[in-house]
Amino acid sequence: MKRIIVFLFIITTLQASANDSLMSVYPSNWWVGMKNRNLQLMIRSKNIAEIIPVYKLSANGIPLADGITLKSVHHVENPNYVFLDLVIAANAKPGIRVLEFVVPGYHLRIQYELMAKSKEDCKTRALGITSKDFLYLMIPDRFSNGDPSNDVVPGYRDQTSDRTNMWARHGGDFKGIENHLDYFKQLGVTALWLTPIIENNTDRMEEGGNKIAGYHGYWFTDHYEVDKRLGGDSGYLAFCNAAHKKGIKVVQDAIYNHISKEHFFATDPPTSDWINNWPKFTPPNHREETLFDPYGSAYDKKVMLDGWFTDHLPDLNQRNPFLATFLIQHAIWSTEYFGVDGWRVDTYKYCDEQFLNNVNAALEKEFPGITIFGEAWVNSVIGNAYFTQNTMGAAFKHNANSVIDFQTCFAILSGMGLSQGWTEGVNKLYMTMAQDLVYKNPLRNCIFMDNHDMDRVYSVVDEDLDRLKLGLTWLLTLRGIPQLYYGTEVLMKNKKTNTDATVREDFPGGWKGDPVNRFTTAGRTAQENEAFNYVSTLANYRKNSSALTTGKTTQFIPFRGLYTYFRYDNRQTIIVIANTGNNSAKPRWNTYTERTAGFTKLKNVITGQTLTFDEIELKPKECLVGELVN
Ligand SMILES: [Ca+2]
Ligand SMILES: [Ca+2]
């Protein structure tokens, strides 16, 4: 528990109830040595504005405690909040300070800690995610239960843990993930992305006719609490430290767009414009075009940015400067406190654009190299590029250094579909890659085949392991940062049937007593081992392949379903060939000479076998990754 509950000392004869002496301060602590020395505290307590008056301050502010200067005090519409602008001295030492306010009738002391920043920042933590990484996405509640004692936590609104109900919480937690760090190493994974870990203290909510728990984490109720059912703050910190010790990075999932209606920002908002209010429930139109369309209407853009995702997720107005600062400081606080290496930002295309640039810049200022993936589920390459650094002449320029690349996902799925149309099948993948000129650095795009909001890819390919291997091959050899959704490597399947819970099942073996344990070779079927070994072999090879991780790309127009590209640099040349056609095919070596000059053979990186170019023939649905050799 980091949110410090401080005590209000009242030295008058005024009566105060016990609750009146409870107070929350956000951020709950800060650090010395931050590049931005400004800090805005949000103090929340009943009628706190009566106790901390608007100070009369000189231009330089007043010293408030050792190394801390008070620059201004802000009152807002709601008297339960006061905002303090502080400046931390460049030479301030770490330690606990007492911020003291003495006004007629009251004497208020707030204990506040300034910590020392981690010396490991940007060395073993807060590292950023790059194209050298292989990212694994999971829902902590659904991965593994390492601590059954936290499945139900007294005091939370939802007191259910029930694995027989797909909409209830199942008890998975940080400890469960930590217990499988060696599994990730074996698989070749270098970074873990967990769906949000912030407290979701809500009742089960009605969605699509079902009573759904906040097991997925997307319904925040207090930014400065990690959900205790996952292990709380200390469990998350222990998990992040254990992962970093193994050389595995952590990506945290942020939501700037909305909160749960149970969050105190919704039940007790500081200002009337904290939430984007509408006369009646108004959902966004989900059309990202409204943000960049040169002919777009202001009306459509407002509905897109300010509409409510669902009727129980109030939409935050990031144009309010106090709210913007709160969210920015929380992102910095989380990065420094837990050492997270990157941020996946949920519902990116629904947030105020300038705010997004501001929070990204503030994070990068403190943590150079930190990665920010915006989740922009979009319908065009232009739409994808718009939400990251790009080469387009749009009126607004986004600064996120990465993006979740939905277009490449759709193109990989299309390639696995084996359609032979001019713009379909593998041709869509070819065409999508050809449009990379709109990205400033497409190596930073996060590419994937599915996620927690989509049909599982193994079901999409009709449980055909050959077609899955085509996708896995592209995932791990195309430019970008590959992301795998948990369980794909052991052939977890399902489509969304009126609910996304069907694609969020428990990892088999993650709970004590599970009849099947797919974490182990012995617990997997032959086919599941084949899939696991394919991912493991290719991902572990990729780790040490400069061509696959940071090299250039040359692709050739697909010919009768045979798609060939090269990844190369000064050290290495890799050929990737996939036969999505109906007949066996030989690579068209005579057309590849600009990349194959000087080579006559290749080493198959999956089998280790060395083959001369001439002896290679691919059956339908067969693919090959080969390192060229003399
Ligand atoms: Ca548990
Ligand atoms: Ca919004």
Side-chain angles (χ1 to χ4, degrees), residues 145-151 171-173 229:
N145 190 358
D147 180 5
S149 76
N150 63 17
D151 294 0
D173 48 38
R229 288 161 289 205

Side-chain angles (χ1 to χ4, degrees), residues 344 375 377 451-455 485 496 500 503-504:
R344 179 265 190 186
E375 182 228 9
W377 186 319
N451 64 29
H452 54 302
D453 294 323
M454 301 170 75
D455 293 340
Y485 184 43
K496 300 202 299 184
D500 39 27
V503 300
R504 301 169 175 185

Side-chain angles (χ1 to χ4, degrees), residues 378 380-392 398 403 438-439:
V378 295
S380 64
V381 172
I382 283 177
N384 238 139
Y386 179 73
F387 293 100
T388 183
Q389 295 170 14
N390 62 64
T391 60
M392 303 185 299
H398 277 270
V403 71
V438 294
Y439 298 105

